[in-house]
Amino acid sequence: MSDSRFHLDEWKIIETRFEPDRARDSESIFALGNGMMGQRANFEETYSGDTLRGNYVAGVYYPDKTVVGWWKIGYPEYFAKVPNAPSWTNIIVRIDGEELDLAICSLRSFRRELDMKQGLLTRTFEAVMPSGKVAKVTAKRFLSMAQPELAASSYSVQITGGNGKIELIPWLNADVYNEDANYDEKFWENESSTHDGKRAVVVAQTRKTAFVVATALENTFVLNGMPARGKTAITTTGKTASCKFSSDYSDGDTFTVTGYAAVLSSFNHPVEGLAGKALVSAGKAAEKGFDAMLEAHRDAWGKKWEHGDIVIRGDIAAQQGIRFNIFQLYQTYTGEDPRLNIGPKGFTGEKYGGSTYWDTEAFAFPFYLSTADTHVARNLLLYRYKHLEKAIENARKLGFTGGAALYPMVTMNGEECHNEWEITFEEIHRNGAIAYAIFNYVRHTGDNDYLSEYGLEVLVALSRFWAQRCNWSDERKKYVILGVTGPNEYENNVNNNWYTNTLARWTLKYTSDMLEWLRNASNVKYNSVVARTRLDTQSELKHWKEIIENIHLPANHDPGIFLQQDGFMDKIQHTVSDLDPAERPLNQHWSWDRILRSVFIKQADVLQGIYFFEDEFDEDTIRRNFDFYEPRCVHESSLSASIHSVLAARLHDTERAYTLYLRTARLDLDDYNREVKDGLHITSMAGTWLAIVEGFGGMRIRNERICFNPVIPAAWESYSFIIRYRNNPLRVEVNGGTVTAVNLSRAEIPLAVFGEQVNMQPGEEKKFRKQ
């Protein structure tokens, strides 16, 4: 049972008290997004307490100058930051001249509710003003999933305790800053504001990158359900625009201000005329009205939940956790624009910056691949393809030649913008994750054309990188890869990280195999790939084959494990059970030197490789490595628990798989790492989906067939999900030892459950029982 401060509910996140010292936590948890923009769950009214006001626009970034102790060749010149954008949700509420502020007023009640089914944030509270008057507030808002440049809010105030005067002032603010600015610079300039008498707009431009964002707002004011007759005046101050409404009130009166916002950027529109276009869009939203906009928004969410939902019976904490994770994933990325990707914090905070990490391909990609139309996953791959020349340029800066590509660890436009040397230069396994995603996409969708049109160009460039990054060791008589950081970031600058070397070998072999496949399938397409990549089919492929056959993969044959890297057994072999809980997390209690010399692992490393290439190992090998490495893993990465949960389920250790699942599913809701105030862990949320579908569900793609070998946690009565295989939806329900599969498509689906192979006909339902 979860000990979260949020009430357990299958479809909602609910808090019933306001805790000022955890205000930022809740701002992250209740954040909203629609793939094109997002915002933290800041209060609409003034709040003078600790807060991080955050509004973010997809694709817009600022190249914040790099901070380093001293410069090294190859360092990126900037770290891409997602600017805190102009805000539109602000409302100043004055009752008899006193400003409503929950840092000052006393609260009689407070409730905040995120309805994930319809993407609606609602907050209600009763606040006692210093005068003794009581303000009862109901606030609702959503960012339209149906029209992702639009948003709407409804803010109602009922006043009791006598008569008086009220002022409601919704306002736009372009005078915003980022907390994570390296040099306390402001990211915006050339702010301006204007209005047309009915609605207002603020326009701001990012420094250096010159992205322009126009944020327009139209407001309507209602008294007790009828249009209000108070005075209304729009004023602008260059960086702000406000619409001041003032009126007398009687005891018990309720005033409602409804705001219709349009947020347009030069990422999607020409700069010329952007402000006018935003004003028109806000006006059209107001004409449509709050209820009609909300209905369209609900319908759009309904379509996503129709195929993306996972239903768990008998365990509300687990159900709430997975839906929260799925909800945030859909809010972050919709897959309609190949220029966009999945930031690790999404639209929920400023930390990390950048648009994509290796997390996208290794963790998030399978979720979109299996729950959305094929074009969504394809767009994630096209994002990398379109950055191929930049990846080649990144590698060239580090001394690589001949079209070798090193994709960035962190990027917005394809350039590397991460400035920690042990990651920028050494965490090169990111290249392998991209290659694996291409493989994963093709086997899942059957879209072989992607390989000939785009994928093989990327694979050849990645293989060229690995071929140059390896060197021959006369000592070992093997190819080695030196000076890397694997997924376990608690060890830097190691030699022959097993996971990295395994990925390098696999990438070289997969690229070689796919080139041979294409040569046999279409000589014309093969020759086109060879010409586009300028591939030397004799010397390059021969060299790759030598590496494949002779690369060093460290292992210790006594315990029968793959060594995380050379020298791993030189460490004192403690386990996590030997640690004092008061020293956790290690990165907040130990020096970096002590961490690097310890045996403790931040997240799956060898086990990440076994997860990727499970079919290459027998169960005993998987078990030996799991039993050796999991007790040494402190799970201090948000990405860690999910992979361990998948493997534990594979080994039928369902109890441990369930414990690890809850950790990843409720990582942010229960704030395991005490850092949710900085934003949510969006990419690790996809790991929660992996833990259910690939872990408990045992989903695998083998020999052009979708396979399931499910287990079920003791706490669950049943669970079900829908998978799209070759774009054909298949519903799978697990209830005890019985699995029910329903083909929801119009095509035949090749299926295997518990090893029983069938070809499911359109509309067919079939039950399988574990023998």
Side-chain angles (χ1 to χ4, degrees), residues 737-748:
T738 300
V739 175
T740 303
V742 182
N743 184 348
L744 302 175
S745 77
R746 296 180 179 179
E748 182 179 271

Side-chain angles (χ1 to χ4, degrees), residues 49-216:
D50 183 38
T51 182
L52 172 59
R53 295 201 71 87
N55 291 267
Y56 311 99
V57 180
V60 175
Y61 69 96
Y62 175 79
D64 204 7
K65 187 177 178 182
T66 295
V67 175
V68 292
W70 59 90
W71 196 263
K72 294 182 177 67
I73 298 297
Y75 267 169
E77 295 183 358
Y78 68 91
F79 194 105
K81 300 290 178 65
V82 178
N84 189 355
S87 60
W88 61 271
T89 57
N90 324 285
I91 302 176
I92 296 171
V93 180
R94 293 196 187 105
I95 300 173
D96 303 325
E98 296 177 342
E99 196 158 324
L100 179 60
D101 181 345
L102 297 194
I104 298 173
C105 301
S106 60
L107 281 171
R108 286 184 177 177
S109 65
F110 182 92
R111 179 184 176 93
R112 181 159 33 187
E113 177 182 297
L114 177 62
D115 185 330
M116 298 180 288
K117 193 169 188 177
Q118 57 180 333
L120 180 66
L121 177 62
T122 303
R123 184 168 56 101
T124 59
F125 64 86
E126 288 189 38
V128 181
M129 306 295 291
S131 66
K133 299 281 182 70
V134 176
K136 184 176 181 180
V137 173
T138 298
K140 298 180 180 181
R141 72 177 186 251
F142 62 91
L143 307 186
S144 177
M145 194 64 81
Q147 295 176 280
E149 291 181 321
L150 301 180
S153 67
S154 171
Y155 192 90
S156 296
V157 187
Q158 183 185 51
I159 310 163
T160 57
N163 305 333
K165 190 176 186 64
I166 186 172
E167 292 178 325
L168 295 171
I169 311 174
W171 62 293
L172 298 166
N173 182 23
D175 191 16
V176 290
Y177 294 81
N178 270 59
E179 283 192 346
D180 67 341
N182 286 342
Y183 293 92
D184 296 323
E185 290 182 299
K186 191 176 181 184
F187 295 172
W188 298 95
E189 62 184 1
N190 300 329
E191 299 94 340
S192 64
S193 61
T194 188
H195 69 89
D196 62 5
K198 193 172 184 180
R199 59 194 70 91
V201 62
V202 296
V203 180
Q205 176 178 291
T206 57
R207 298 176 60 200
K208 300 180 183 178
T209 45
F211 287 106
V212 177
V213 173
T215 305

Side-chain angles (χ1 to χ4, degrees), residues 330-356:
Y330 279 141
Q331 287 201 130
T332 302
Y333 181 77
T334 60
E336 300 307 317
D337 189 338
R339 298 173 300 167
L340 299 177
N341 211 280
I342 305 158
K345 293 294 181 187
F347 298 113
T348 68
E350 298 175 6
K351 191 175 180 182
Y352 294 138
S355 170
T356 183

Side-chain angles (χ1 to χ4, degrees), residues 696-737:
F696 300 128
M699 187 194 82
R700 305 291 188 271
I701 307 296
R702 295 191 176 109
N703 301 320
E704 307 289 315
R705 186 175 294 273
I706 187 167
C707 308
F708 297 91
N709 190 29
V711 297
I712 185 168
W716 297 1
E717 296 171 8
S718 66
Y719 63 99
S720 63
F721 50 81
I722 294 175
I723 293 297
R724 296 176 77 94
Y725 177 64
R726 307 285 162 100
N727 227 18
N728 300 311
L730 173 76
R731 185 176 184 272
V732 177
E733 179 177 355
V734 182
N735 192 334

Side-chain angles (χ1 to χ4, degrees), residues 430-459:
R430 57 193 186 255
N431 261 9
I434 293 167
Y436 188 84
I438 295 172
F439 157 74
N440 212 7
Y441 171 80
V442 172
R443 69 170 175 169
H444 199 108
T445 65
D447 182 7
N448 291 314
D449 287 342
Y450 183 82
L451 279 172
S452 59
E453 294 172 8
Y454 308 105
L456 272 166
E457 284 185 62
V458 174
L459 290 169

